[in-house]
Amino acid sequence: MYTAHPDRYADMPYRRSGRSGLKLPALSLGLWHNFGPDRPVTTQRAILRRAFDLGVTHFDLANNYGPPPGAAESAFGEALRADFAAYRDELVISTKAGYLMWPGPYGEWGSRKYLLSSLDQSLTRMGLDYVDIFYSHRPDPATPLEETMGALHSAVQQGKALYVGISNYSAEQTREAARILGELGTPLLIHQPRYSMLDRRPETEGLLDALDELQVGSIVFSPLEQGLLTGRYLDGIPEGSRAASDSPFLNSDAVTADLVGQLRDLDDVAKGRGQTLAQLALSWVLRGGRVTSALIGASSPQQVEDCVGAIGNLDFDAEELVRIDAIVNR
């Protein structure tokens, strides 16, 4: 039987999400790719156990995570029953709905019917009465935002979610979503955008500024840019990597000679800080406190340990930041 480490809260920083009372660990675990029937159950459970032992209290899912869709939630539900039932109140569990989950006109996007049906299915797969955070995973251009936000509000009113969030919304859409939710009485807790040293759109497109103004938290996905910001691509494309498989999320054409040169130079910056490249990338998105939490993925407990090592050095001097900008922008 699993017993959590008694010192699990000793080192991990916890940051308040916007103006809410909820604190999230600086690093949260996302269950996007590595949880499903194609991965050994023992490995999945070892990853979750190691994360929690290191103070990672937030586990982030979505209805379509797997593969196949729904598999990650089912696997997580089994792990909850086996290992974490006694620790449910120490965990923040989130899920989302918005991308394609089942066929027909009610299986994706942002209608009230889809979102609330999907949440019910997610709760069943995980064996939960409620999730801590329920997200609209993407904006729906064909559904009024009032309907989508109203569905999130209903999830809270029904006791099926404690907080609500949005993901992949623009700065303007975020402001409007926050206004609608505020009028309904269910504040917008958090936004989940893609953000990394190599993808700075939340900065350049004004999203981080909007979240600051609204006092809404942020949890960023792909801070390691689909694995590019690890040591894996410093010598090109290795066998068995995501780029080698021409994944829809990272293909071999993206790994150019110029990019490899940038990665090597960023790795030099990391070494100067006593960090791995992955640790540098995580520290960078967490710098200054504007980002509440960064989502990591892991295929082994050792990867969790390496990522958590980033919290030992979250500060940057001006020279380091200028050097990183120069490398990325050249």
Side-chain angles (χ1 to χ4, degrees), residues 7 16 22 27 53 86 91 122 169 191 202 213-214 239 259 326:
D7 296 329
R16 192 173 301 279
L22 184 67
L27 296 176
D53 283 345
L91 301 177
S122 293
Y169 280 56
H191 189 297
E213 293 165 15
L214 296 167
E239 282 187 34
L259 176 61

Side-chain angles (χ1 to χ4, degrees), residues 197-249:
M197 287 194 292
L198 300 180
D199 186 347
R200 304 192 179 193
R201 285 174 292 176
E203 291 179 9
T204 60
E205 296 177 1
L207 178 61
L208 292 183
D209 290 337
L211 296 178
D212 287 343
E213 293 165 15
L214 296 167
Q215 293 183 276
V216 169
S218 59
I219 178 167
V220 300
F221 70 90
S222 292
L224 302 182
E225 201 61 28
Q226 298 294 318
L228 286 176
L229 290 169
T230 67
R232 204 159 191 205
Y233 294 91
L234 295 177
D235 296 310
I237 303 173
E239 282 187 34
S241 66
R242 189 169 294 169
S245 69
D246 274 337
S247 159
F249 305 104

Side-chain angles (χ1 to χ4, degrees), residues 21-177:
L22 184 67
K23 292 183 178 180
L24 296 178
L27 296 176
S28 300
L29 183 65
L31 280 70
W32 179 26
H33 275 312
N34 297 310
F35 291 81
D38 61 337
R39 305 291 175 128
V41 171
T42 53
T43 301
Q44 296 176 47
R45 288 177 61 181
I47 292 168
L48 293 168
R49 289 175 171 186
R50 190 63 184 133
F52 188 53
D53 283 345
L54 292 171
V56 177
T57 54
H58 179 206
F59 298 121
D60 179 79
L61 299 101
N63 58 356
N64 64 334
Y65 287 179
E73 289 179 331
S74 296
F76 184 66
E78 292 173 6
L80 276 173
R81 289 186 287 275
D83 292 334
F84 296 101
Y87 304 105
R88 172 63 183 99
D89 292 335
E90 296 184 45
L91 301 177
V92 174
I93 300 168
S94 62
T95 196
K96 316 175 197 72
Y99 287 95
L100 181 63
M101 186 59 189
W102 61 83
Y106 320 120
E108 63 177 326
W109 293 109
S111 71
R112 179 180 183 84
K113 178 171 177 58
Y114 166 64
L115 290 174
L116 295 179
S117 297
S118 177
L119 178 56
D120 284 343
Q121 292 181 19
S122 293
L123 292 174
T124 298
R125 281 190 289 269
M126 291 187 284
L128 293 172
D129 296 323
Y130 71 94
V131 291
D132 297 278
I133 308 171
F134 181 48
Y135 287 88
S136 167
H137 206 166
R138 62 172 172 172
D140 182 347
T143 298
L145 194 56
E146 288 81 1
E147 178 176 341
T148 301
M149 295 304 106
L152 296 184
H153 171 65
S154 291
V156 173
Q157 295 299 106
Q158 293 169 5
K160 296 176 181 179
L162 300 185
Y163 302 91
V164 299
I166 57 177
S167 182
N168 297 302
Y169 280 56
S170 70
E172 181 180 355
Q173 291 167 332
T174 298
R175 287 190 174 92
E176 183 64 5

